[in-house]
Amino acid sequence: RPTRSVQRRAWPKAPDHRVGLKAITSSVRINLQPALAGLKHGNRLEQILAAQECQRHGADEALVFDQKGFLAEAISSNLLLRIGGCWMTPSSPAAVTGVGLDWLLSESPLEIESSAIKLPQLAKADSILVINSISGIRPLGSLDRRELVIDEDCRGLQRHWNQNLIPLCDDC
């Protein structure tokens, strides 16, 4: 017999895009399960644990690594990082490639490469964006209390997203 699950929760509060989100590096590691890698599914216990850790630290978001030490994703978003002037997204097979990131990779005005990123490279990132098809593109203002840059590249990607994916409505 089929079972239907329904979840109801408050819509996420809108972050202040001028300041950016406060993020931490989670101690939770995402398991590399080849049968589930890259798929959206209901068994995301690691993300729940990372979200609880995030809440304990008073942060808005957490960046999560896989079991091999490669950056994978944020709790429920994909990532874009600028390291050494180059925009990149993590290539961990443990990450879910969301539809928002997929669209941006094909439609971005900036060149974005996929790259294996470990903690030392993450420490060199000067800008980090989280991408989610519901929340859009949101900049991180800080990661582990280190300030990050929210500049014209970040704002340009947000404008590009908004102009192309948020429908205009005259009577909404």
Side-chain angles (χ1 to χ4, degrees), residues 26-145:
S26 179
S27 63
V28 175
R29 298 296 179 249
I30 296 176
N31 193 12
L32 290 167
Q33 170 48 267
L36 299 175
L39 298 176
K40 289 186 181 183
H41 54 83
N43 185 15
R44 303 297 281 181
L45 183 57
E46 289 110 341
Q47 283 79 357
I48 292 169
L49 295 172
Q52 290 174 338
E53 179 182 24
C54 184
Q55 208 170 30
R56 283 193 305 274
H57 289 277
D60 305 304
E61 188 59 84
L63 276 54
V64 184
F65 286 79
D66 66 25
Q67 295 270 322
K68 293 185 177 181
F70 292 101
L71 183 62
E73 58 193 4
I75 295 170
S76 62
S77 302
N78 291 119
L79 297 167
L80 278 184
L81 303 90
R82 187 175 57 204
I83 300 173
C86 298
W87 283 99
M88 54 191 67
T89 188
S91 62
S92 169
V96 173
T97 301
V99 295
L101 176 62
D102 194 42
W103 177 84
L104 190 61
L105 290 174
S106 67
E107 301 294 328
S108 175
L110 301 174
E111 186 176 326
I112 301 169
E113 60 186 60
S114 182
S115 183
I117 300 168
K118 289 208 165 201
L119 193 57
Q121 289 90 3
L122 176 60
K124 295 177 183 176
D126 67 342
S127 288
I128 302 175
L129 303 171
V130 291
I131 302 166
N132 179 292
S133 60
I134 294 172
S135 310
I137 297 177
R138 299 169 295 154
L140 297 188
S142 66
L143 175 62
D144 298 323
R145 298 191 178 128

